[in-house]
Amino acid sequence: WETNHFNVYLTAKAVEDTTNLPPVDIEIRASGDTNGARIDVARISTPALHAELPAPVAVSFRPPFVSQPATLDLAVDLDQQHWFVARGKLNGRAVVYPGEKTPRVSFALAGTGLTTTSLSTSNLEMNGELNWPVLNLQRAQIAMDDGSHLDLAGEYDFAQKTVYDGRLNSSGPFGGQFLPAGYSFETASISAQFDGPITNISNSAKAQVTHLIVPGINPINLEATSSGQGLNFETTEVTLKSGTAS
C-alpha cells in the first residue's frame, strides 16, 4: 500500500485434513485505490469446483460497483464432492452487468450425465437473470435418461416471497418408478401454471396419463384438470377412458 494505492498478489493452498473439507487453491491479483480496483486474476479451484475470471475486470467500491459487464466461468464435477449423493458435470457462465443499486447477473448452466439417488438425466440446460430482489428463471430444460422432458420457467421475488408467471411442462414415463408394485403407466404429460405468494400460491394444472395400470381393473387413460390455492384444490375434473395395451 502506497499513497492510497495498493497492489495485491495472493496465492493460497489448503490441503485436505481430518475436517472433511476439500483441498483449495486460490489466486488473486489486483491493484487499485480507495475508489476502486482492477482485478487481473481471480481463480478458485477445488476437486469439485473451478471458478475463474476469464478477463480482467474493474470494480468500484460504490454503486453500481461495475461499469462494464464482467464474466465468471464455472465448472462443477459432482463426482469429486462428498456432501451429497450425485454424479455428473456442470459448466456455466455468469455475466455481471451494472445496475441501479446492485449489479444485475445473467447466468447459463449446462450439465450432462447428472444423477442422484432418484433422478437420472442425460442433459440439463438453465438460463436466467438475477436483478435483485427478482430471480427470473427464463427456462430450465431437463432431459431424463428414460426419454422424459421437463421445462420450467418463472420469476421469484425474494423480498415479496412471491412467484410470478410460473410454468411447468413435462412429458414421458418419468414418475412411474415411484409407484407401488403393480401400478404403472406408459406416458404422462403435465402442464401447470402457478402464481402468487408462496404461502397461498394460485395454481392450475392439466394432466394426461396413458395406459395406466391399476391392480384389479383393465388399463385406462386418464385426463384431469384442477385449480386451487396452495394445497387446496377448489375444482378438479377427472375423465377415465378404457385404454389399450401398447
Side-chain angles (χ1 to χ4, degrees):
W1 186 280
E2 184 177 355
T3 60
N4 293 329
H5 285 74
F6 66 87
N7 289 281
V8 174
Y9 177 40
L10 170 66
T11 59
K13 184 179 181 69
V15 297
E16 188 173 13
D17 56 19
T18 57
T19 64
N20 260 348
L21 295 176
V24 180
D25 286 327
I26 299 174
E27 181 180 5
I28 296 175
R29 298 181 186 179
S31 59
D33 55 29
T34 55
N35 295 314
R38 172 188 166 97
I39 304 174
D40 293 302
V41 175
R43 183 184 301 116
I44 180 171
S45 182
T46 74
L49 171 68
H50 181 83
E52 181 175 5
L53 288 175
V57 58
V59 298
S60 171
F61 298 145
R62 302 178 182 85
F65 301 107
V66 292
S67 58
Q68 298 292 329
T71 301
L72 178 67
D73 290 337
L74 300 170
V76 179
D77 186 350
L78 295 175
D79 296 2
Q80 301 300 319
Q81 59 81 37
H82 308 290
W83 300 102
F84 52 91
V85 179
R87 300 179 66 86
K89 293 178 171 57
L90 291 163
N91 291 282
R93 168 166 287 191
V95 182
V96 182
Y97 297 91
E100 294 183 3
K101 294 183 178 179
T102 59
R104 174 173 56 91
V105 182
S106 68
F107 59 89
L109 189 67
T112 57
L114 302 176
T115 63
T116 67
T117 52
S118 58
L119 298 176
S120 182
T121 72
S122 59
N123 190 62
L124 177 148
E125 294 182 2
M126 185 182 300
N127 296 277
E129 181 178 274
L130 177 63
N131 191 6
W132 189 259
V134 177
L135 172 65
N136 179 7
L137 182 61
Q138 295 162 351
R139 190 173 191 184
Q141 294 179 291
I142 302 175
M144 304 291 185
D145 280 350
D146 62 8
S148 300
H149 289 81
L150 184 147
D151 288 343
L152 178 67
E155 295 186 356
Y156 181 70
D157 189 319
F158 287 92
Q160 300 297 324
K161 297 182 179 180
T162 299
V163 174
Y164 298 100
D165 193 25
R167 303 178 304 281
L168 171 67
N169 293 281
S170 68
S171 62
F174 178 76
Q177 69 269 38
F178 302 116
L179 295 177
Y183 294 77
S184 66
F185 60 85
E186 189 174 90
T187 61
S189 64
I190 298 174
S191 178
Q193 295 78 41
F194 44 98
D195 192 278
I198 59 174
T199 54
N200 193 33
I201 195 166
S202 301
N203 59 81
S204 62
K206 180 178 181 180
Q208 294 179 315
V209 181
T210 62
H211 200 70
L212 175 63
I213 295 178
V214 177
I217 66 174
N218 291 326
I220 57 175
N221 295 329
L222 179 150
E223 294 184 4
T225 60
S226 68
S227 62
Q229 300 284 132
L231 297 177
N232 297 317
F233 297 102
E234 297 172 354
T235 61
T236 301
E237 295 182 4
V238 179
T239 302
L240 302 177
K241 297 181 180 179
S242 175
T244 57
S246 57

